[in-house]
Amino acid sequence: MINILISGIFGHMGRNVYEIVKEDADTQCICGVDLKNGNFDDVPVYDSFSKVKEIPDVIIDFSSAANLKNILNFAEKKNCAIVLCATGYTEEDLKTINSASEKMPVFKTANLSVGVNLLQKLVKEAAAFLGEQFDIEIIEKHHNLKKDAPSGTAFMLAESANEAFDGSKTYTYGREGMVGAREKKEIGIHAVRGGTIVGEHEVMFAGEDEIITLSHSARSKKVFAAGAVKAAKFMCGKPAGLYDMHNIIG
């Protein structure tokens, strides 16, 4: 039985993770951490990692990027793995995560959906095949409560496409005013926010007289919660290192 601590358990994603863990025969939630404490379906919830008495095998974090250092410090002390699912990490945060992975097993991905990670692979292959003759534009759509833009998944897709050009492409975030003709070195990234859109990503390859579009649409946030639990099961007992969804798919 894999013992899981859910960080951000009272949030929408935390609740989804809890429901999947509850139904999974190989996992159990032993406690949670959230800004408010109390009990969640008889599971103890603490408002600080410093108050946690239990020793988890894996932490699933759907809280906030601001909570990163607290989680890493706790995981190092308790010798447990981490599945980081928050968004909005800064460049400094990513460096901190990379450093932490030298001492503990850390799972970090921009998107927990198996479908999105397949899309990433297809985007890379399409960019390599189509080359400079096609302009690449990425459009991502999310609900009106999402705080960061563009999404981490949009960046992930842009990076996948850019690998085909040895990283020579630059990113243009939206366009406004007299910006001039589009430059070949650009990959356009555009963010749409509205309503209750769970998550949609479209990568458009626009060539002369033809357009190729690769896209993914998430219909429910449960797909990300399921991916997080799959990652937790994969990470249990792993040695120090930085892991992502490609390790699971592989």
Side-chain angles (χ1 to χ4, degrees):
M1 184 67 72
I2 300 171
N3 295 321
I4 293 176
L5 181 159
I6 302 175
S7 176
I9 193 169
F10 284 121
H12 185 64
M13 286 306 304
R15 292 172 184 269
N16 278 328
V17 169
Y18 177 77
E19 290 302 322
I20 292 173
V21 167
K22 189 177 179 180
E23 297 300 320
D24 190 292
D26 300 322
T27 60
Q28 64 177 352
C29 178
I30 57 171
C31 66
V33 174
D34 206 293
L35 289 176
K36 57 180 179 178
N37 57 12
N39 281 354
F40 183 89
D41 194 20
D42 294 329
V43 171
V45 179
Y46 307 94
D47 59 9
S48 169
F49 277 94
S50 64
K51 298 178 182 178
V52 175
K53 304 178 182 67
E54 293 77 7
I55 301 177
D57 297 310
V58 186
I59 300 168
I60 296 179
D61 174 51
F62 267 107
S63 60
S64 164
N67 208 21
L68 176 63
K69 289 185 179 179
N70 292 329
I71 295 167
L72 294 177
N73 289 337
F74 177 86
E76 185 175 4
K77 289 177 183 176
K78 301 296 183 182
N79 193 31
C80 60
I82 316 169
V83 177
L84 295 173
C85 309
T87 60
Y89 290 116
T90 64
E91 286 298 320
E92 192 61 35
D93 290 335
L94 295 176
K95 290 178 183 178
T96 300
I97 291 168
N98 285 332
S99 285
S101 70
E102 297 175 3
K103 300 177 286 185
M104 66 187 82
V106 179
F107 183 96
K108 167 74 178 70
T109 185
N111 194 297
L112 288 154
S113 161
V114 173
V116 163
N117 283 274
L118 175 59
L119 174 63
Q120 183 184 8
K121 183 175 184 293
L122 296 173
V123 165
K124 182 178 179 180
E125 291 177 356
F129 184 81
L130 298 172
E132 294 287 357
Q133 301 306 308
F134 283 72
D135 299 323
I136 304 171
E137 297 284 310
I138 299 171
I139 303 97
E140 59 97 344
K141 304 173 185 177
H142 284 87
H143 53 86
N144 56 22
L145 297 178
K146 185 171 176 61
K147 296 178 181 179
D148 58 309
S151 69
T153 300
F155 282 119
M156 183 175 76
L157 294 170
E159 289 288 288
S160 295
N162 208 359
E163 284 182 32
F165 304 98
D166 297 322
S168 63
K169 298 288 186 179
T170 60
Y171 303 145
T172 299
Y173 305 103
R175 296 183 179 87
E176 181 182 8
M178 294 294 293
V179 296
R182 187 189 193 283
E183 296 185 16
K184 277 292 180 184
K185 66 177 182 179
E186 295 181 3
I187 292 179
I189 305 176
H190 313 275
V192 176
R193 297 290 177 267
T196 58
I197 302 170
V198 173
E200 297 183 9
H201 293 85
E202 175 183 307
V203 183
M204 180 179 70
F205 295 87
E208 186 172 350
D209 300 326
E210 63 178 334
I211 296 172
I212 300 167
T213 301
L214 299 173
S215 64
H216 176 272
S217 178
R219 301 301 182 181
S220 166
K221 288 188 177 181
K222 288 182 180 179
V223 67
F224 308 123
V229 175
K230 186 184 292 288
K233 293 167 74 171
F234 172 82
M235 291 297 289
C236 187
K238 287 290 186 294
L242 187 60
Y243 302 81
D244 62 20
M245 189 59 76
H246 295 290
N247 294 111
I248 296 177
I249 293 173

